[in-house]
Every structure is written in structure tokens, then in C-alpha cells.
Amino acid sequence: MSRLLHVSSGPYAPPVPARELTAVSADGAPLHVEVHGPENAPPVVLAHGWTCSTAFWAAQIRDLAVDHRVIAYDQRGHGRSPASPACSTDALADDFEAVLKATLAPGEKAVIAGHSMGGMTVMAAADRAAFREHAAAVLLCSTGSSRLVAESTVVPMRPGRLRTWLTKHILGSRAPLGPVTPLARRILKYGTMGPGSAPHMVEACARIVHACPRKVRYSWSHVLDLLDLDHGVRSLEVPTAVVVGTADRLTPPVHARSLVAALPRCVGVTELPGVGHMTPVEAPELVTGKIRDLVTTYATIKEGA
């Protein structure tokens, strides 16, 4: 499991959950799950991205848990979920189904938000029975369904085979990230965040990303390199909103526009000027507001509340 090195104070310090549990995936993989907020409040399920953890959603959890039941979990190999040799989009979908079944009552509907690989998790699970049973609406943040390496602008050069080759080797590097140093912060900010990101935002993201074990980071990089979830987008039949930063180098706005064109029920796209890939950290109020809007418009309170 990863080292838990997240910040311990400020808006990005992870809140203490009301309860914790372990969901067991189809292949037996255990998943760390946290539940925040009142038990009978409208549920929200959060799925984080590559190299992150539940700590990534700290700002959303703190705000939403006042009047929502917020469910967050660590993807396998991330945070407090043990690593597994099974790394695939099917595994992501299996894990997500397990979390939904472990935390929601039969027929209970939730708003689901996925960031980056978390959004890809939602796409992978879109045609699963548990997803169809429990999804009221979806927010996709800073994500894409295919051609992730080819479209990335992390390497500042013209698109083509050389840029794709370089990007693949940078994102799929086996090199350890090491401690969070000033240089490490600058590198992470360049690759994943907007140029105007405040230092405390960069620090929070750096601590989370650097806590991810390099073997886990490397294994999942191959899944992202080969990703093809275009069919999952077309299967995502619930109301879905999309958010992307215009300065996102990992999943540039071209991905968001492709999602909008393919989604059966797109209910809006928001492009955030100057914001990078880490939208829930860089624009916390906006992302939280989008989730609240989806709950208000599409979700219902648990029966008996």
C-alpha cells in the first residue's frame, strides 16, 4: 500500500470519515472505502484518478458531507487499498461495482463523480448492472476515453510519433518520485496543474501523488496507454456533465469535447480557463457546486429519510 503523506491541515487535509469499510471486488481484491456525512442524506460517490487516493477529494468531502452522504474509495493499489496484479479497465469496473453494492441500498440512486482515471472507471462500468441500478447522474472531471498518450501535451512539441513516444516513456517511467522537494513541486505543477495554481494546492497534490508506489504507478500507466473506452461513453445513459481545464496537459479539452459529442445525455460542459488537470483541487468550489447541482436536479433522498 502507499505511504499516506497527505497534508494534515488546511482545506486539503482529509476529513475523518463517519465510518470505514472494506469492499471486496470480483477477484477478491479488498478496497478501502470511507463514508462521510449523515447516513440518510443523498449519496454521492467519488472515484479518484491515477496516483491519487481518497485524500484528493478532501475539499469536496468537507463541503458535501454537511448535507450529503459522501462515499469515497481508494482504487486498487492506491491509498489504503492493496496492490493487485490485475490492472485493467475491467478491474476498475469490478471494483466500482463492489463499492456501490457495499455502500448503497438496493435501488438507491447516487450522483457519481470521477476524476481522470476515476472518470474512466465510470465509463468502464457504464454497462454494469450495479451502475445502472445506482447511478442517478455523473460528473466527469478532466478525463478521456481513448488516445490519452497521443493527445497529451505534457511534451511541448508538435503532435506526432516522436511526441507520443516521449510522452509514453515519461508517463510510464519506473523512476521513483522521491521526496516532495521544490523541484518535484515544479515538475508536478508543470505536468498536472495550471500555471496559476496556489502553492498549497501544489503541495497537496504533490504529497498525494508521491505517496503512490512506483510499481502501482507504472502498472496503471500501461492501462492508460492502451485505453479504449469509447464504447463506455456511448453506454453512459444517465445525465452527465463534463468539466475540464483549458491548461490540462494530461487530458486536454479535446477529450472533453469528444465526450460531449458521444454522450447520450450530456447536460453541460464547463471549460475552466487556466486550470490544469487537477480540477477538484484547483477549482474546488466549482466542482463541488456541479455535484450539488446534479444532486438537486437528478437524485432523490433515500427512502425513509
Side-chain angles (χ1 to χ4, degrees):
M1 288 185 285
S2 66
R3 302 154 291 160
L4 300 178
L5 300 177
H6 48 66
V7 295
S8 57
S9 63
Y12 300 111
V16 176
R19 62 186 177 97
E20 299 174 288
L21 64 142
T22 299
V24 180
S25 193
D27 65 353
L31 303 163
H32 172 74
V33 183
E34 300 176 1
V35 181
H36 302 257
E39 279 295 328
N40 288 324
V44 171
V45 182
L46 306 175
H48 70 75
W50 178 50
T51 74
C52 292
S53 67
T54 57
F56 187 78
W57 294 106
Q60 284 70 44
I61 292 171
R62 181 170 286 104
D63 188 312
L64 291 169
V66 173
D67 52 1
H68 294 73
R69 186 166 89 257
V70 185
I71 299 156
Y73 74 102
D74 287 324
Q75 303 270 18
R76 62 173 67 196
H78 297 71
R80 284 185 269 181
S81 294
S84 165
C87 293
S88 66
T89 54
D90 282 340
L92 292 176
D94 287 342
D95 294 353
F96 195 64
E97 274 203 303
V99 171
L100 295 178
K101 291 176 181 177
T103 57
L104 299 175
E108 186 177 21
K109 297 290 186 179
V111 166
I112 296 164
H115 171 260
S116 193
M117 192 173 81
M120 298 161 201
T121 299
V122 173
M123 299 174 214
D127 60 357
R128 298 293 186 93
F131 182 87
R132 292 181 180 273
E133 178 183 358
H134 294 295
V138 165
L139 178 65
L140 296 177
C141 298
S142 311
T143 192
S145 59
S146 61
R147 292 181 53 80
L148 299 184
V149 174
E151 298 287 3
S152 170
T153 58
V154 167
V155 178
M157 59 188 298
R158 294 174 61 183
R161 290 183 180 180
L162 178 58
R163 189 182 78 172
T164 299
W165 185 89
L166 289 171
T167 303
K168 177 178 179 179
H169 284 77
I170 291 170
L171 298 181
S173 172
R174 290 180 181 267
L177 294 182
V180 179
T181 63
L183 177 60
R185 293 186 195 95
R186 288 198 295 272
I187 292 172
L188 179 127
K189 181 177 179 179
Y190 167 80
T192 69
M193 305 183 79
S197 299
H200 69 289
M201 296 177 178
V202 178
E203 180 71 19
C205 287
R207 285 177 176 265
I208 293 168
V209 171
H210 280 240
C212 183
R214 64 173 173 171
K215 288 184 178 179
V216 171
R217 188 181 81 241
Y218 177 75
S219 296
W220 284 107
S221 73
H222 285 281
V223 177
L224 301 181
D225 176 29
L226 301 173
L227 190 79
D228 185 356
L229 288 172
D230 293 346
H231 63 286
V233 182
R234 295 188 292 270
S235 298
L236 199 52
E237 297 178 349
V238 297
T240 302
V242 179
V243 171
V244 66
T246 62
D248 188 338
R249 298 179 189 273
L250 289 177
T251 53
V254 62
H255 290 292
R257 294 163 193 159
S258 295
L259 292 175
V260 169
L263 284 166
R265 295 186 65 188
C266 181
V267 293
V269 58
T270 304
E271 294 192 17
L272 303 174
V275 172
H277 184 66
M278 304 301 211
T279 42
V281 171
E282 296 179 70
E285 294 87 0
L286 183 136
V287 170
T288 301
K290 293 292 182 185
I291 295 172
R292 284 187 173 277
D293 288 346
L294 290 172
V295 172
T296 299
T297 306
Y298 300 106
T300 56
I301 297 177
K302 184 177 178 181
E303 190 173 332

